[in-house]
Amino acid sequence: MIYVIGTGPGGLDEMTPRAFEALKECEIISGYEKYIELVKNFLPGKIFMSYKMREEVKRCEEALKISRDSNKKIALISSGDPGVYGMAGLILEMSEGSGEEIEIIPGITAANSAAAILGAPLMNDYAVISLSDLLTDWSVIEKRLAVACEGDFVIALYNPASRHRPQNFERACEILLRYKDPATPSGYVRNAGREGTEFEVMTLENIKACKKIDMLCTVIIGNSQSKIINGKLITARGYKVI
Ligand code: SAH
């Protein structure tokens, strides 16, 4: 049996009770090394399998093998939600025809934990776009950015910039600036719900040049109805406010 578990942004307080119960039930916990470190302390007595970035296929192969050969319960963990750029899709694809039982347990995704810290920017329709071009062509990402702007969506950006492709974020902002007002309220949260949380609300023009944006950040770019009130980023839904 394989549980694919969303552990939320980081702390135990933002993990669902269902996710925690499932983790406690599993003998083996497998995941990206950074996420394993986040859960290790509150799960004594487990066997942990830590993997590097880009070893997702290997992680699934080994989980399927362990589950088949040993009948042990194994948890494949993802931070946030496992169905949002996490392990859920891959393990379901790879287990096709194996007869393996797989249960997906959701978690709070980064867009939601970041939104709560910034204010209420996702109050109306929004699009989630990853700037990672490891598995998606950059031309497709550019198109998605453009059409999300045409629809006046609020946009949550995951994987905004890495050491290997630091320029992606700035390039993405240049596309957004073709459609959106440079003064569009925006913000980022670094390490939402984890030690070292940092966040800032600013304009789209300023966030483009912000040097703090890295892979530990989620960036939220407002739409034409977004505003800043008392330092909070809010997207108005259209209620009449006195
Ligand atoms: N499954 C995860 C997303 C994995 S993709 C989820 O649902 O949240 C990895 C990206 O998620 C990071 O580059 C970053 O953009 C975002 N992210 C994950 N955890 C975060 C956190 N605690 N704070 C801010 N952004 C986070």
Side-chain angles (χ1 to χ4, degrees), residues 9 79-81 84 109-110 158-160 189 191-192 194 215-218:
S79 78
D81 183 88
V84 181
T109 190
Y158 282 54
N159 299 302
V189 181
N191 283 320
R194 295 180 191 154
M215 286 303 262
L216 300 174
C217 296
T218 295

Side-chain angles (χ1 to χ4, degrees), residues 4-24 42 80-82 104-109:
V4 191
I5 304 176
T7 55
L12 187 55
D13 54 347
E14 287 187 306
M15 188 186 295
T16 68
R18 182 174 163 211
F20 190 43
E21 284 312 309
L23 282 169
K24 283 195 291 190
F42 46 79
D81 183 88
I104 316 283
I105 300 181
I108 299 178
T109 190

Side-chain angles (χ1 to χ4, degrees), residues 209-224:
C210 179
K211 295 286 169 246
K212 294 254 175 108
I213 309 300
D214 63 10
M215 286 303 262
L216 300 174
C217 296
T218 295
V219 175
I220 298 183
I221 312 289
N223 72 3
S224 63

Side-chain angles (χ1 to χ4, degrees), residues 97-230:
S98 68
E100 201 58 56
E101 204 183 329
I102 293 177
E103 187 174 325
I104 316 283
I105 300 181
I108 299 178
T109 190
N112 295 134
S113 47
I117 291 169
L118 293 173
L122 307 181
M123 285 294 294
N124 211 326
D125 300 345
Y126 66 96
V128 173
I129 300 176
S130 165
L131 297 188
S132 169
D133 55 1
L134 284 177
L135 302 171
T136 305
D137 279 348
W138 182 254
S139 61
V140 174
I141 297 171
E142 283 193 347
K143 176 132 201 233
R144 289 178 182 164
L145 290 165
V147 296
C149 288
E150 279 179 358
D152 196 26
F153 283 90
V154 174
I155 302 174
L157 297 173
Y158 282 54
N159 299 302
S162 76
R163 265 178 294 133
H164 305 293
R165 48 200 152 77
Q167 71 292 355
N168 280 14
F169 180 64
E170 212 177 315
R171 284 163 73 191
C173 288
E174 274 160 19
I175 294 164
L176 301 180
L177 281 163
R178 283 184 211 149
Y179 300 85
K180 290 182 186 274
D181 188 328
T184 301
S186 305
Y188 77 87
V189 181
R190 191 159 194 276
N191 283 320
R194 295 180 191 154
E195 211 179 305
T197 303
E198 285 177 54
F199 63 96
E200 207 176 327
V201 171
M202 62 183 101
T203 63
L204 170 55
E205 195 173 31
N206 287 343
I207 213 163
K208 176 178 171 238
C210 179
K211 295 286 169 246
K212 294 254 175 108
I213 309 300
D214 63 10
M215 286 303 262
L216 300 174
C217 296
T218 295
V219 175
I220 298 183
I221 312 289
N223 72 3
S224 63
Q225 304 307 306
S226 300
K227 48 193 171 184
I228 300 171
I229 300 177
N230 291 335

Side-chain angles (χ1 to χ4, degrees), residues 3-151:
Y3 291 92
V4 191
I5 304 176
T7 55
L12 187 55
D13 54 347
E14 287 187 306
M15 188 186 295
T16 68
R18 182 174 163 211
F20 190 43
E21 284 312 309
L23 282 169
K24 283 195 291 190
E25 241 186 71
C26 290
E27 292 155 272
I28 303 169
I29 298 176
S30 160
Y32 172 46
E33 53 194 1
K34 188 171 159 56
Y35 303 151
I36 291 286
E37 283 313 309
L38 289 172
V39 298
K40 226 174 182 170
N41 291 344
F42 46 79
L43 291 165
K46 304 290 181 193
I47 300 166
F48 292 99
M49 296 176 69
S50 283
Y51 294 86
K52 304 257 177 251
M53 251 341 192
R54 306 202 197 173
E55 288 184 333
E56 292 82 5
V57 170
K58 185 173 165 200
R59 255 183 258 172
C60 291
E61 275 168 2
E62 292 183 358
L64 285 164
K65 187 170 183 328
I66 289 168
S67 180
R68 187 186 61 224
D69 296 349
S70 72
N71 224 6
K72 289 194 163 93
K73 284 184 181 164
I74 174 160
L76 267 185
I77 62 169
S78 285
S79 78
D81 183 88
V84 181
Y85 313 119
M87 297 301 291
L90 182 60
I91 189 74
L92 287 174
E93 282 180 86
M94 288 182 62
S95 65
E96 188 185 0
S98 68
E100 201 58 56
E101 204 183 329
I102 293 177
E103 187 174 325
I104 316 283
I105 300 181
I108 299 178
T109 190
N112 295 134
S113 47
I117 291 169
L118 293 173
L122 307 181
M123 285 294 294
N124 211 326
D125 300 345
Y126 66 96
V128 173
I129 300 176
S130 165
L131 297 188
S132 169
D133 55 1
L134 284 177
L135 302 171
T136 305
D137 279 348
W138 182 254
S139 61
V140 174
I141 297 171
E142 283 193 347
K143 176 132 201 233
R144 289 178 182 164
L145 290 165
V147 296
C149 288
E150 279 179 358

